[in-house]
Amino acid sequence: MQVSSDNNVVLSTSRPLAEELRQDGLEQQQDTLDQQPSIVEGHGHVNQKLALLADLKQEMQQKLTQSLKAIEENRAMQEQTINLLTETRKEIQNHREKESDERVQHSKWQESITTNQVETANVLKEVLRDIATIRAIQNQTIEVLNSLQLEVQQEKNNETKLHTESQQAIVEVKKQQNVKQTNYWLQSLPSTKSEMSKQRELLMGIHNAYETRIEQLQRDNEILRSTLLEVQLSSYRTCKEVPMKLSGKYNIRGNDTFSSFEAYCEQQKFGGGWMVIQHRFDGSLSFDRNWNAYRNGFGEVGGEIWIGLERIYQFTKEHDCELLIEMKDFYDNFKYARYSLFGIGSESELYELKTLGGYSGTAGDSLSGHIGMKFTTIDRDNDRSATNCAESYEGGWWFTKCHFAFLNGLYRNATGLSQQIIAWNDFSADFRGMSYSRMLIRPLN
């Protein structure tokens, strides 16, 4: 471009300028071509982001659906839980009401038991008074009977004396040959004998009546005795606490009043107060039994019986006891063994014979060799033998290898050291079987 002196602008196109302009146009076209791929590329990024946002939205929608479903399930579970809690609360309330009713019933039972005990005590007092009255009547009756016997004996003596005098008179009359007097005595003698015979019959009738009365009194006494033994609404902790000295069945209780059991109390022999824990006398009861039977007991009170290891354990745990064993052989020879202490372990200790005091008696000490032995039955082998002694000798016991004493053996009249019998080795030299055995325990205090 050129500028004139009169300040007029003169435009002139030269080749270099045209080239420059063309070059600038080419560059702008190139820039435009260069910018088109960037725009396309920007659109691609936007589409990818939109697709990503769509996927994210879909995923969030799925999660929202799952969350709503989980919330609904949770709400249903909460409703079930609330219903369950409501039912549980109702059950607890019902249980509390039932427990309250049971407590009221228990209280009524306690009152009833107390009332029955008082009534029983009153009945026993009346029965004891009746027994005392009957005994007084018996004594009076015996005195009357003795008096009648004396009178009868006196009448017999008088009759004998009269007969002797009559015989003497007859002899005297014959000597004096006084026929008239003799006839008189002969005529009076039959009437005298008849009169004496009537008196004798009268006395015998009186005697028989009194004997009948005594028999009736004895029967009444037995009935009263049986009634007295049967009236046992009360229970006692031991046989020593029984106030009546009558042997029979009584209710024995432990620490818990309602856990009483029936047992036979021996109230006459060896000072009384003994509870029978084992009895054999006729072989009617099998002693070849399993562990549960020996633990719980079997037989009948008053008959052949094993009272049960658990009861023996509980009783000897609560009371320090002594042991008495009575025995007879088949020849009716009686002997006994007495031990100053006796106690066994619990079932977890396999009812071990833990305590056995000093021996006294006439049968010999055959039981001391079993101290420390655990109880063995046909299904629980706890002895020291290679075989099961309970299977070999058919009964449960505190076996060693196998026994010195065994009172639960077979009821057999046999002799020999290895025989299957009720055994007490020191009873006799020929190791004879027993026909009778009875084990009894009694508290020391």
Side-chain angles (χ1 to χ4, degrees):
M1 179 170 47
Q2 295 181 353
V3 179
S4 66
S5 58
D6 57 1
N7 295 326
N8 290 321
V9 176
V10 180
L11 295 175
S12 62
T13 302
S14 65
R15 186 174 178 83
L17 179 59
E19 286 294 329
E20 183 178 353
L21 290 173
R22 191 177 61 85
Q23 185 65 34
D24 289 339
L26 292 173
E27 289 178 358
Q28 288 177 358
Q29 289 178 359
Q30 185 65 39
D31 290 338
T32 302
L33 292 175
D34 290 340
Q35 287 178 0
Q36 285 180 353
S38 297
I39 293 171
V40 174
E41 185 177 354
H43 283 296
H45 285 299
V46 169
N47 291 332
Q48 289 179 358
K49 289 181 180 181
L50 289 174
L52 183 62
L53 287 174
D55 294 340
L56 183 60
K57 181 179 179 180
Q58 184 178 2
E59 185 178 354
M60 290 181 68
Q61 187 67 34
Q62 291 177 353
K63 288 185 177 181
L64 179 61
T65 302
Q66 292 176 356
S67 297
L68 291 174
K69 184 178 180 181
I71 290 171
E72 187 65 27
E73 291 177 352
N74 188 28
R75 183 179 293 116
M77 290 181 64
Q78 286 180 346
E79 290 178 356
Q80 291 179 357
T81 303
I82 291 171
N83 293 334
L84 181 61
L85 288 173
T86 302
E87 293 177 359
T88 303
R89 187 176 299 163
K90 290 180 180 179
E91 290 180 359
I92 292 173
Q93 184 64 29
N94 293 335
H95 179 73
R96 287 176 178 173
E97 293 176 357
K98 185 177 179 181
E99 185 178 15
S100 178
D101 294 339
E102 289 178 351
R103 287 178 180 174
V104 172
Q105 186 65 34
H106 183 270
S107 178
K108 291 181 180 179
W109 286 343
Q110 287 280 20
E111 293 176 359
S112 176
I113 289 171
T114 303
T115 302
N116 289 335
Q117 287 178 341
V118 173
E119 292 177 353
T120 303
N122 293 333
V123 170
L124 291 176
K125 288 179 182 178
E126 293 178 2
V127 172
L128 291 173
R129 282 197 296 268
D130 292 341
I131 290 175
T133 303
I134 291 173
R135 286 180 178 174
I137 295 174
Q138 284 180 335
N139 292 334
Q140 293 176 0
T141 304
I142 291 172
E143 291 177 359
V144 172
L145 181 59
N146 291 334
S147 176
L148 286 173
Q149 288 177 340
L150 291 175
E151 291 179 5
V152 170
Q153 186 63 38
Q154 186 65 35
E155 289 295 333
K156 288 182 179 180
N157 293 337
N158 291 338
E159 181 182 359
T160 302
K161 182 179 179 182
L162 181 59
H163 180 72
T164 302
E165 290 177 352
S166 298
Q167 292 294 330
Q168 290 176 353
I170 292 172
V171 172
E172 185 65 26
V173 168
K174 284 183 179 180
K175 286 182 179 180
Q176 296 176 0
Q177 294 182 353
N178 189 343
V179 178
K180 183 178 179 180
Q181 188 69 21
T182 301
N183 290 334
Y184 172 76
W185 281 106
L186 290 174
Q187 291 174 359
S188 62
L189 185 60
S191 62
T192 303
K193 287 184 176 181
S194 177
E195 185 65 25
M196 292 184 67
S197 177
K198 291 179 180 179
Q199 291 182 359
R200 182 186 301 168
E201 290 176 358
L202 178 61
L203 290 172
M204 290 302 296
I206 295 173
H207 176 75
N208 292 334
Y210 273 99
E211 282 189 343
T212 302
R213 176 61 177 164
I214 289 173
E215 291 176 357
Q216 182 63 41
L217 288 173
Q218 289 175 344
R219 286 194 295 269
D220 292 342
N221 190 25
E222 288 298 323
I223 293 173
L224 284 172
R225 176 188 176 95
S226 300
T227 303
L228 192 61
L229 290 176
E230 290 174 358
V231 179
Q232 294 177 27
L233 296 177
S234 299
S235 59
Y236 307 94
R237 293 183 64 221
T238 70
C239 291
K240 288 182 74 173
E241 292 185 358
V242 176
M244 294 157 291
K245 298 303 178 183
L246 298 174
S247 298
K249 303 174 184 178
Y250 292 90
N251 291 323
I252 305 299
R253 69 176 185 273
N255 290 325
D256 184 358
T257 305
F258 298 99
S259 65
S260 62
F261 60 92
E262 192 177 51
Y264 190 91
C265 294
E266 174 54 60
Q267 299 295 85
Q268 276 89 34
K269 294 183 178 180
F270 294 91
W274 297 93
M275 182 176 75
V276 176
I277 62 174
Q278 187 259 22
H279 198 186
R280 310 284 303 278
F281 55 86
D282 61 7
S284 60
L285 183 66
S286 171
F287 276 66
D288 187 18
R289 298 179 182 249
N290 62 20
W291 181 267
N292 288 341
Y294 271 97
R295 178 188 60 202
N296 300 328
F298 50 88
E300 295 183 1
V301 177
E304 291 205 327
I305 189 172
W306 175 263
I307 200 170
L309 289 165
E310 186 61 26
R311 283 178 181 163
I312 298 173
Y313 160 66
Q314 294 292 345
F315 194 85
T316 57
K317 182 181 72 170
E318 185 177 355
H319 309 281
D320 292 331
C321 293
E322 57 181 324
L323 172 67
L324 172 66
I325 301 174
E326 298 177 321
M327 291 163 277
K328 287 182 185 178
D329 61 17
F330 283 88
Y331 305 98
D332 208 30
N333 296 310
F334 174 84
K335 295 183 181 182
Y336 74 94
R338 190 168 177 176
Y339 295 89
S340 59
L341 283 173
F342 174 74
I344 66 174
S346 64
E347 184 173 17
S348 63
E349 298 171 300
L350 304 177
Y351 297 117
E352 174 188 348
L353 181 56
K354 300 182 74 172
T355 304
L356 192 67
Y359 160 82
S360 62
T362 58
D365 181 13
S366 294
L367 190 58
S368 292
H370 294 263
I371 297 176
M373 296 299 103
K374 297 172 175 57
F375 205 86
T376 290
T377 59
I378 54 176
D379 57 342
R380 294 282 188 92
D381 185 4
N382 300 314
D383 56 50
R384 294 180 178 176
S385 175
T387 59
N388 187 332
C389 294
E391 289 184 351
S392 300
Y393 290 93
E394 300 188 26
W397 193 250
W398 297 278
F399 287 111
T400 57
K401 295 187 204 180
C402 278
H403 62 76
F404 306 102
F406 177 40
L407 300 180
N408 292 339
L410 293 180
Y411 191 87
R412 296 177 62 231
N413 184 8
T415 57
L417 187 59
S418 299
Q419 289 287 340
Q420 293 176 318
I421 55 175
I422 300 174
W424 193 270
N425 289 358
D426 291 310
F427 188 95
S428 62
D430 57 359
F431 307 108
R432 66 187 60 172
M434 300 292 105
S435 66
Y436 176 97
S437 72
R438 190 164 72 154
M439 299 176 67
L440 311 95
I441 56 177
R442 179 174 69 179
L444 295 174
N445 299 323

